[in-house]
Amino acid sequence: MDNKETVIVLDFGGQYNQLIARRVRECNVYCEILPYTVDIQRIKEIAPKGIIFTGGPNSVYDKKSPHYTPEIFELGIPILGICYGCQLMAYLLGGNVISATDNSVSEYGKTETSYKDDVLFNDIPKEGISWMSHRDYINEPPKGFKITATTANCPVAAMSDADKKLYGVQFHPEVNHTENGKDMLKSFLYNVCECKGDWKMDNFIDTTVAQLKEEIGDKGVVLGLSGGVDSSVAAALLSKAVGKQLTCVFVDQGLMRKDEGDYVEQTFTKLFDMNFVRINCQEEFLSKLKGVEEPEAKRKIIGTEFYNVFWNKIRESYGTGYFAQGTIYPDRIESGKGDAAKIKTHHNQVGVPADITFEGIIEPLKDLFKDEVRAVGEKLGLPHELVWRQPFPGPGLGVRVIGEVTAEKVRILQEADAILRDEMDKCGYAEKMSQFFAVLPGVKTVGVMGDARTYDELVAIRAVTTDDFMTADWAKIPYEILGRVSNRIINEVEHVNRVVYDITSKPPGTVEWE
């Protein structure tokens, strides 16, 4: 655990588990998420400064609901229970948790809350709004606990046993809707857990570079560079640590944005001391996609071909030393939901073929969230437009060309998308959107250009605003900007005679079309 002070978020299936961890890290305290199935011996080995129980959708009195051994309360480690976590603390320690039998007790959303004298609330107003989401409630706290917050309908909105450093809140301090919620978490971390708050990006870079130098030694290390944020920051860190010992293999399958392959190559060959290997293979990919229209079939073909091209290159020259990946923390979190805690398969975690034997796998960003990865990238000197680039699908434009993918369709889409990006950048509107791109739906429409009838391609524009990509709203781009984009695409991109704007939110739609 690198001897850094650590706080554990014990996940009981709550939807805000990652948000809690991010809030803790925003207080400059390192945080790990572990499933509720983790053995208590593991917690003892980590020796955290504090533990936070997450919320969850279950009822603590249901025998099938996630529980934990009461022994955790005897470790002397400060614990904060949130929502279900608060109820679980009460239930396991002898308090009374019951179901809300009518709407007068259930609480959802913004709720007027009264706070009493308690270390969590000492520096905030005594009245404020908290974000509630519960159908059960604590009717009576455990022996030794005092009630530290109430609402009109919730008799125990917060409770604490200061002597044992056990705290519980029925609401969610981690969400922005709870007034002064961040201050409450910070008070728990600093005043109860006595954290120093030394988890900073500068320290992370220096420590990680030193660790990489020691681990890699004089061996080589190979990284699959996609040009995305995660792999780019991983490449920058590794380059800083071992220089020419790093080989970045960049597979340009011809399905990236216009000139993006050249941009990636120029960026990394100019800024960093490394071996950069570019594989141009658009024709190979397009031949495999010929005649294929079904979205999942296209995804599978592109993924398989990428895997084959990459590892064939590794077999030629680079199958020794270490293999590095741009895995970040959300890629590898074990979910506490259900009985089996499994790590999801993710594009940043690549399986190594059995015939290639590396000395080890290196994941320099494995402890970071995306916003932390971006902060590291900026400190390492990566270009702003690369560090803050928008999400881009793994199969690239292969799933933004609806139906069969051809070289001509890719060209049309690249040109249209480049115009869209240019206009958004020029008017300063790009920063107001979470993601925007062009789609080629494979629909031809009748048009009139130069007094002649045309029957050409339609281009769709998609733009959304969102905080988490779980839900998204279509971006309200001003008509005059959309007009300029449409006019330029129709006049500058051959074989396009119509532009439409997608005004579907998520749900019911998704951000991508395929």
Side-chain angles (χ1 to χ4, degrees), residues 174-229:
E174 71 275 17
V175 303
N176 289 329
H177 300 300
T178 295
E179 295 175 346
N180 304 300
K182 293 180 183 179
D183 292 330
M184 299 173 195
L185 288 173
K186 188 173 183 179
S187 183
F188 174 72
L189 296 170
Y190 282 80
N191 298 328
V192 180
C193 302
E194 299 180 353
C195 292
K196 297 177 182 177
D198 53 8
W199 170 252
K200 295 181 175 66
M201 285 301 103
D202 288 337
N203 295 340
F204 170 82
I205 293 172
D206 294 341
T207 301
T208 302
V209 166
Q211 290 174 343
L212 289 171
K213 286 180 178 179
E214 181 178 354
E215 182 176 3
I216 297 170
D218 60 356
K219 302 290 176 57
V221 57
V222 176
L223 171 73
L225 181 65
S226 69
V229 178

Side-chain angles (χ1 to χ4, degrees), residues 58-294:
N58 304 93
S59 295
V60 295
Y61 45 78
D62 184 342
K63 299 298 182 182
K64 297 179 181 179
S65 65
H67 281 196
Y68 203 74
T69 172
E71 184 185 349
I72 195 169
F73 300 112
E74 305 301 323
L75 298 180
I77 299 172
I79 299 176
L80 171 64
I82 295 176
C83 197
Y84 176 89
C86 176
Q87 295 171 6
L88 182 64
M89 178 185 291
Y91 182 81
L92 293 176
L93 292 173
N96 190 29
V97 180
I98 62 176
S99 172
T101 56
D102 59 69
N103 291 332
S104 66
V105 179
S106 296
E107 291 176 312
Y108 297 95
K110 296 180 179 180
T111 307
E112 289 282 352
T113 307
S114 300
Y115 304 105
K116 301 180 181 179
D117 290 335
D118 185 76
V119 65
L120 297 188
F121 313 130
N122 284 346
D123 297 324
I124 68 169
K126 296 307 177 186
E127 301 287 334
I129 296 294
S130 70
W131 182 263
M132 290 282 191
S133 181
H134 66 100
R135 63 177 181 271
D136 296 336
Y137 69 99
I138 300 169
N139 187 40
E140 183 180 344
K143 184 179 180 180
F145 278 76
K146 68 175 184 177
I147 297 173
T148 57
T150 59
T151 73
N153 296 319
C154 188
V156 185
M159 64 180 191
S160 69
D161 184 337
D163 292 338
K164 293 184 177 180
K165 296 184 178 180
L166 302 178
Y167 297 82
V169 292
Q170 181 60 66
F171 52 86
H172 289 273
E174 71 275 17
V175 303
N176 289 329
H177 300 300
T178 295
E179 295 175 346
N180 304 300
K182 293 180 183 179
D183 292 330
M184 299 173 195
L185 288 173
K186 188 173 183 179
S187 183
F188 174 72
L189 296 170
Y190 282 80
N191 298 328
V192 180
C193 302
E194 299 180 353
C195 292
K196 297 177 182 177
D198 53 8
W199 170 252
K200 295 181 175 66
M201 285 301 103
D202 288 337
N203 295 340
F204 170 82
I205 293 172
D206 294 341
T207 301
T208 302
V209 166
Q211 290 174 343
L212 289 171
K213 286 180 178 179
E214 181 178 354
E215 182 176 3
I216 297 170
D218 60 356
K219 302 290 176 57
V221 57
V222 176
L223 171 73
L225 181 65
S226 69
V229 178
D230 303 335
S231 66
S232 296
V233 175
L237 262 178
L238 285 160
S239 175
K240 185 176 177 67
V242 297
K244 285 289 188 182
Q245 292 169 238
L246 170 65
T247 297
C248 287
V249 178
F250 172 52
V251 178
D252 186 350
Q253 86 287 53
L255 300 174
M256 303 179 76
R257 299 183 183 104
K258 184 180 179 182
D259 300 329
E260 196 162 22
D262 294 339
Y263 171 73
V264 171
E265 180 174 6
Q266 292 168 7
T267 297
F268 284 91
T269 53
K270 288 181 179 179
L271 290 181
F272 300 102
D273 184 28
M274 64 170 69
N275 296 311
F276 186 92
V277 179
R278 179 176 178 178
I279 308 171
N280 293 309
C281 48
Q282 184 187 52
E283 290 185 8
E284 188 174 342
F285 274 73
L286 291 178
S287 67
K288 298 286 184 180
L289 291 167
K290 187 174 182 179
V292 180
E293 297 185 1
E294 204 278 321

